[in-house]
Amino acid sequence: MSKFNHKEAAEELQHYRLTNERNSEKVCHLGARLIKDNYTAKLGDAIWPFYEQVAIAALDVQDFSLADTCIDKLKTRFTEKSLRFRRLLGMRFEAQGKLDEAQEVYDTILQEDDTNMLASKRQIALLKTRNKESDMIEALTKYLDTYYDDHEAWLELCDIYLSKYMYDQAAYCCEEIIILQPSNHVFFLKYAEILYTLNHLPLALKHYCKVLELCTDNVRSLYGLQLVNKQTMKVTGRN
């Protein structure tokens, strides 16, 4: 069996942090070993991002003992008033299924700092889990006022509007997504289908064509063009 290389493990964890790669099981395995062998003393200032990373990974895999070890270290360093610590506390409540407590934590954080991106994202995810669509729309709208360039949030909002048959609002979200992601044919297709549903046939035609420009063999777009053509002939009275 090869000897465990603590330095390589620490570097691998740092790589995951830099690339935002989750890989929770691996992070827990490496993090727990570094903590057990007291290698954390050699991490310097990186020790706090390390504890946060391992805590989140531990919550992902339901290893509450490891999560608590890391959260307690952060609590000692940053105190209970720290938004960083409290966000992790909220995530712990989530992992335990204590959704009301988690919601209260995130709401409190956002009352103090309504631009806290990480707390906003956790709040939105929690509202989604609890099927609170109206509250989720409000939270996403407020979040996007600050973080306009988050196309995933626009997509989330678009899908909620679609689920509530609010097609005009969904179309607006798609327009914002396309501005942010002008080379992604998937979003043009989504927009074209919404436009077709709204009976905006010329615009739907234009965006179905844009899909084919970006992805020449897209079957759904070809089918969409047929539908638009058929509907246009029906409207104009042509056979």
Side-chain angles (χ1 to χ4, degrees), residues 177-220:
I177 295 169
I178 287 171
I179 291 172
L180 297 169
Q181 297 281 313
S183 301
N184 193 323
H185 74 277
V186 172
F187 300 134
F188 280 97
L189 178 61
K190 193 178 191 76
Y191 187 40
E193 291 175 340
I194 293 171
L195 290 170
Y196 176 78
T197 302
L198 288 168
N199 205 34
H200 297 334
L201 300 181
L203 272 177
L205 177 66
K206 175 183 176 181
H207 286 85
Y208 278 127
C209 289
K210 182 64 178 180
V211 174
L212 291 173
E213 180 184 321
L214 295 170
C215 182
T216 56
D217 59 350
N218 189 279
V219 176
R220 280 177 62 180

Side-chain angles (χ1 to χ4, degrees), residues 55-56 59 67-68 71-72 74-75 80 82-96 98 101-103 105-106 109:
I56 293 171
L59 292 174
D68 285 344
I71 291 173
D72 286 344
L74 290 164
K75 177 182 176 182
E80 292 184 8
S82 163
L83 300 184
R84 189 175 187 174
F85 164 76
R86 283 153 59 192
R87 180 176 64 87
L88 286 174
L89 188 62
M91 293 176 70
R92 193 189 194 290
F93 283 137
E94 280 190 76
Q96 293 175 307
K98 298 178 179 179
E101 289 89 337
Q103 188 74 63
V105 170
Y106 299 138
I109 291 173

Side-chain angles (χ1 to χ4, degrees), residues 85-146:
F85 164 76
R86 283 153 59 192
R87 180 176 64 87
L88 286 174
L89 188 62
M91 293 176 70
R92 193 189 194 290
F93 283 137
E94 280 190 76
Q96 293 175 307
K98 298 178 179 179
L99 303 186
D100 288 335
E101 289 89 337
Q103 188 74 63
E104 184 177 351
V105 170
Y106 299 138
D107 288 346
T108 302
I109 291 173
L110 292 171
Q111 285 172 8
E112 296 180 25
D113 177 13
D114 60 2
T115 64
N116 190 299
M117 181 178 69
L118 296 176
S120 293
K121 284 191 169 185
R122 293 313 314 160
Q123 181 197 53
I124 291 165
L126 187 55
L127 290 170
K128 183 177 182 179
T129 299
R130 305 178 79 183
N131 294 316
K132 293 190 173 184
E133 290 185 337
S134 296
D135 290 339
M136 192 176 171
I137 288 173
E138 182 179 350
L140 275 167
T141 302
K142 188 173 183 179
Y143 171 82
L144 286 165
D145 283 341
T146 304

Side-chain angles (χ1 to χ4, degrees), residues 21-79:
E21 188 175 346
R22 200 84 162 194
N23 205 345
S24 298
E25 290 187 3
K26 187 68 176 291
V27 169
C28 282
H29 170 70
L30 297 177
R33 181 63 185 270
L34 293 179
I35 292 171
K36 177 184 176 183
D37 295 346
N38 201 31
Y39 191 81
T40 52
K42 299 182 180 181
L43 295 179
D45 291 339
I47 191 171
W48 308 117
F50 163 82
Y51 278 132
E52 187 172 23
Q53 175 189 25
V54 176
I56 293 171
L59 292 174
D60 283 345
V61 300
Q62 302 278 295
D63 186 341
F64 294 116
S65 176
L66 178 59
D68 285 344
T69 296
C70 298
I71 291 173
D72 286 344
K73 293 288 186 181
L74 290 164
K75 177 182 176 182
T76 301
R77 170 64 179 83
F78 296 104
T79 78

